[in-house]
Every structure is written in C-alpha cells, then in structure tokens.
Amino acid sequence: MAAPLLVFDLDGTLVDSAPDLLATLNTVLPRHGFAADHDPDLRDGIGHGARHLIEFALHRQNAAASDQQLDAMHRDFLDYYEANICVETRLYPGLLDLLDRFENAGWRFAVCTNKIEALSRLVLRKLGVAQRFEAVAGGDTFATRKPDPAHLLGAIAMARAVPDRALMVGDSRTDLDTARSAGVPVIGVSFGYTPVPMAELGPDLLLDSYDELRPEMAETLVAGRAQRPRRAMAAKRKPLAAVS
C-alpha cells in the first residue's frame, strides 16, 4: 500500500510569508508610480501568485495599469522578493513537531502552491525544511494551477503517492475547491490568508493550531475518502525549458 501523503499549501499554511510579500509589494508599487498600501487586509490577495497580488492592490486604489506596466511590476516584484524572501517569513508554530509526528507514523509530505516553483523551493530551503518534502508543485510547474484539481493530483503523482491516500491542508477557498474537485479530503487552517473565515468554508477538519492534528485523525479522513469520486486527472509537468 502506498504511504499516506499530506499535501500543504505554502503561503498562509506552511509559512507566514505575508510580511515579506507585502513589503515587496510596497517597495514595487511606488517605483512604478502607485501608492504603497499598508492595510493588513492586503493579505487577502495572497495565494494566487504575485501578479494577482499586484492587481489586487491596484484595484483597491481604483488604479489602472497597462499590460506592459503589469509585466514590468511583476518582474520587479519577483526580483526584489527573491532577494528578500525570508527576512520575516517564518514557519507556523507547531509545524515542525507535526512533521515529526506524521513522519514517525509513516506519512510523507508535498507542497501544492500557486507561488512559482523556484521561489517555493527557495523559501523551504531558507527555512531548513526543503528535505522534508517529496515534491513541490508550484504555480508554473504544470500548464495549470489551483483551483484546477489537476495541479493537486499532479503534486500527488510527483510525490509517487496516490489520491486515495492523500490529504490537502490549506487556508483558503481555493485550496478547498481544489481538493474537493480532486476528491481529496481537505483540512483547513484558521490562521492563514482568506477574506472568508475558514470555519464558514466547511473543511473536513478545521485546525486552529498544528498542535491539534494527529496521524489518527488524518487516517480517519483518508478512510472516508472512498466516498469521494475523483473528477479530474493529474497534470503533466512542463518541460524544463518551459518553466519560468
């Protein structure tokens, strides 16, 4: 039987990266003639990639930018963020102990995130946990990304696991919709980045802290997965030359 797999979202689930993402945003916006925005609600724009976060911030200002301007801001954002990726970013409390508990119980781990793969791997390396994950599927790893369920199923396949033995852990409606479309049980965390409280989204299990989750609880969710029809196929990884 295949080993069970926990698939984590990254920003707002594994790591609290909002301070560095928003610092990058507020560095880039003024460079391109737009106002910085220090409202904590900007966190709600995290989780769909850097370009979406820029567009989210501009929309809040009722500001418009051409595709050329957006392209330039996006490049600037990625360059600055890569150079300042873990200034304040931290693993969420209790995560390391959770990984130890689950690893001792025979579980393996993967990441499925809309952050580009290279930056996702860099964050994990900087925080000293890259070696804990069998696979990292970023927003540019496949031709599709969350909420397309093929992204999650592709991450599971990369980890040499099977959907019947997998769980998704996430902080947003996007994560829940992705997992449900893939027929994979989903654990929601209440401490991430979402404009709608996770409790209102109705995950299969709600966590306020990683200290709460035990392998036995996860096994119960996996055991109930047989009632969930799979409705998608795994995405195929892009050729290396196509990954950017």
Side-chain angles (χ1 to χ4, degrees):
M1 180 182 295
L5 184 74
L6 274 181
V7 185
F8 293 89
D9 173 50
L10 185 60
D11 299 301
T13 301
L14 276 178
V15 300
D16 183 6
S17 53
D20 290 329
L21 286 166
L22 299 186
T24 298
L25 180 67
N26 283 319
T27 298
V28 170
L29 288 174
R31 287 180 177 177
H32 295 267
F34 299 98
D37 185 345
H38 297 283
D39 189 328
D41 286 347
L42 266 178
R43 295 158 60 100
D44 293 345
I46 296 172
H48 303 279
R51 190 182 183 98
H52 176 272
L53 181 58
I54 294 167
E55 292 173 337
F56 181 77
L58 294 178
H59 178 74
R60 285 167 49 89
Q61 299 180 22
N62 294 315
S66 67
D67 288 344
Q68 186 176 11
Q69 286 176 301
L70 286 171
D71 288 344
M73 282 191 283
H74 188 212
R75 289 192 299 270
D76 197 5
F77 185 104
L78 295 179
D79 289 344
Y80 185 90
Y81 181 59
E82 182 175 5
N84 299 274
I85 200 164
C86 278
V87 176
E88 295 186 58
T89 294
R90 298 291 183 269
L91 298 170
Y92 278 106
L95 177 69
L96 291 177
D97 287 341
L98 179 148
L99 295 179
D100 288 342
R101 282 196 303 277
F102 274 73
E103 187 175 287
N104 290 337
W107 286 71
R108 297 187 297 165
F109 314 110
V111 172
C112 181
T113 173
N114 282 339
K115 187 192 292 291
I116 65 174
E117 182 179 335
L119 293 181
S120 301
R121 291 183 180 277
L122 180 58
V123 168
L124 296 173
R125 285 199 304 272
K126 291 274 190 179
L127 296 176
V129 294
Q131 74 282 1
R132 307 295 296 267
F133 296 92
E134 300 288 329
V136 178
D140 60 343
T141 302
F142 306 119
T144 187
R145 64 180 189 170
K146 296 184 297 183
D148 191 319
H151 188 184
L152 172 57
L153 294 173
I156 294 169
M158 283 176 66
R160 300 180 302 281
V162 295
D164 289 352
R165 298 283 289 157
L167 286 177
M168 177 77 189
V169 184
D171 71 311
S172 69
R173 183 187 298 276
T174 297
D175 296 319
L176 268 65
D177 288 347
T178 303
R180 286 168 175 158
S181 295
V184 172
V186 58
I187 297 171
V189 298
S190 65
F191 44 77
Y193 314 141
T194 172
V196 180
M198 180 56 67
E200 296 180 16
L201 297 177
D204 295 305
L205 180 67
L206 177 65
L207 298 179
D208 293 322
S209 165
Y210 280 129
D211 293 335
E212 301 169 359
L213 187 60
R214 293 292 184 270
E216 297 80 8
M217 300 161 67
E219 287 285 2
T220 298
L221 291 177
V222 167
R225 194 263 180 195
Q227 307 303 317
R228 299 169 180 269
R230 196 183 316 167
R231 297 189 291 274
M233 296 182 64
K236 294 183 179 180
R237 185 160 191 168
K238 289 181 182 178
L240 289 178
V243 176
S244 59

